[in-house]
């Protein structure tokens, strides 16, 4: 009997297809405001270790926790940051620079102003407020350096950092790397729709099979396509669950344009990115939503290792798809 684990996320939803057996251990639970599932080839239950890793990452980078390191940093407190924060910050910097700012973790206060972030209804979204908030946006203004006990960040006063667009992918990676450290060669890790797959699903003697949801505005779920993953990670950013509609019926996404400070108006419904690490796939999936199809196509011509699948609406409001860099059929 096939069992489909359904995960609801602010991003694209995914379903993991596996069978019940004693070969794989299957663990799931809540984390990062969503849920996680781990399936791996072992007889040892690592759920306590998973929970400990999640706790450490949350304490480092969750803007939803008042005494987390990132919350203290955003309050202008002096704080020494851990290796988790350092890895995510440096990866964010890399994606920020390569996408010319389309991915920018300093957009957090503007996200909050539009009630899409951790601090809802904090600001009124009038043009003057947005203009003032945008003065503090720009990861290029934030500097980092090593200290004896860890890692520190210098940022302009008023700049608000948040890693919600990349932290789930990082969480997937640290669980995957933990399992690899235990010499586990077959596993699948999923958090809120972000996935890392290694080896194969020994229950089915086949590659890991994952589904991409069909974009639906009625909060329903149905699989649009299914693909095989092996030794790769995938993240998907969708705009069809979190959006605003103006008086003319135009949809504006929760992806904020980092140049204007306003929600992006786009015909892209979802972007799925396959990369070696889930953190990288996660960050680029968000950036590609904001960049638009033409810029993404041009960008990928010089980034052949990123595989991308885009679902978008044409002028007749019909679904069309775009497969770039040999995203699997």
């Amino acid at each position: 009997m096939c069992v489909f684990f359904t995960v609801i996320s602010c991003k694209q939803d995914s379903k993991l297809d596996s069978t019940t057996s004693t070969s794989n251990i299957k663990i799931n639970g809540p984390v990062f405001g969503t849920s996680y599932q781990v399936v791996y080839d072992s007889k040892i239950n690592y759920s306590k270790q998973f929970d400990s890793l999640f706790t450490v990452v949350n304490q480092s980078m969750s803007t939803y926790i008042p005494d987390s390191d990132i919350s203290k940093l955003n309050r202008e407190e002096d704080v020494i940051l851990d290796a988790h924060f350092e890895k995510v910050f440096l990866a964010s910097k890399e994606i920020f620079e390569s996408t010319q700012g389309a991915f920018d973790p300093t957009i957090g206060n503007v996200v909050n102003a539009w009630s899409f972030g951790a601090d809802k209804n904090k600001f009124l979204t009038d043009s003057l407020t947005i203009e003032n908030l945008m003065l503090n946006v720009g990861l290029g203004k934030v500097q980092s350096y090593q200290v004896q006990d860890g890692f520190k960040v210098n940022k302009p006063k008023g700049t608000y950092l948040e890693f919600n667009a990349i932290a789930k992918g990082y969480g997937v990676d640290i669980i995957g790397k933990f399992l690899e450290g235990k010499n586990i060669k077959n596993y699948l890790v999923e958090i809120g729709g972000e996935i890392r797959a290694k080896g194969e699903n020994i229950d089915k003697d086949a590659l890991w099979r994952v589904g991409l949801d069909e974009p639906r505005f009625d909060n329903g779920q149905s699989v649009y396509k299914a693909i095989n993953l092996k030794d790769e990670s995938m993240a998907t950013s969708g705009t069809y669950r979190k959006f605003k509609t103006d008086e003319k019926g135009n949809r504006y996404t929760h992806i904020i344009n980092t140049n204007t400070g306003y929600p992006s108006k786009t015909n892209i419904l979802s972007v799925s990115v396959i990369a070696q690490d889930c953190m990288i796939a996660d960050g680029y999936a968000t950036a590609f939503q904001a960049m638009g199809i033409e810029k993404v196509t041009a960008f990928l011509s010089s980034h052949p290792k990123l595989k991308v699948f885009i679902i978008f609406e044409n002028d007749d409001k019909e679904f069309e798809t775009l497969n770039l860099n040999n995203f699997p059929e």
Side-chain angles (χ1 to χ4, degrees), residues 9 27 34 49 84 130 133 136 148 156 165 181 193 202 205 233 286 291:
S9 167
I27 297 172
T34 179
Q49 289 88 339
H84 297 293
I130 297 301
L133 290 174
N136 296 315
Q148 184 174 359
I202 62 171
D205 192 25
S233 300
T286 300
M291 290 167 65

Side-chain angles (χ1 to χ4, degrees), residues 75-130:
R75 289 195 301 266
E76 319 299 339
E77 296 180 22
D78 185 32
V79 57
I80 295 177
L81 306 162
D82 64 7
H84 297 293
F85 194 107
E86 179 181 2
K87 289 176 184 177
V88 173
F89 178 86
L90 294 178
S92 297
K93 197 91 164 181
E94 177 185 331
I95 299 172
F96 166 81
E97 292 171 353
S98 67
T99 61
Q100 298 182 316
F103 176 83
D104 192 338
T106 65
I107 199 71
N109 260 341
V110 183
V111 173
N112 288 333
W114 288 102
S115 299
F116 284 130
D119 196 351
K120 299 182 185 301
N121 301 313
K122 184 176 180 180
F123 306 103
L124 295 175
T125 50
D126 60 274
S127 59
L128 182 59
T129 298
I130 297 301

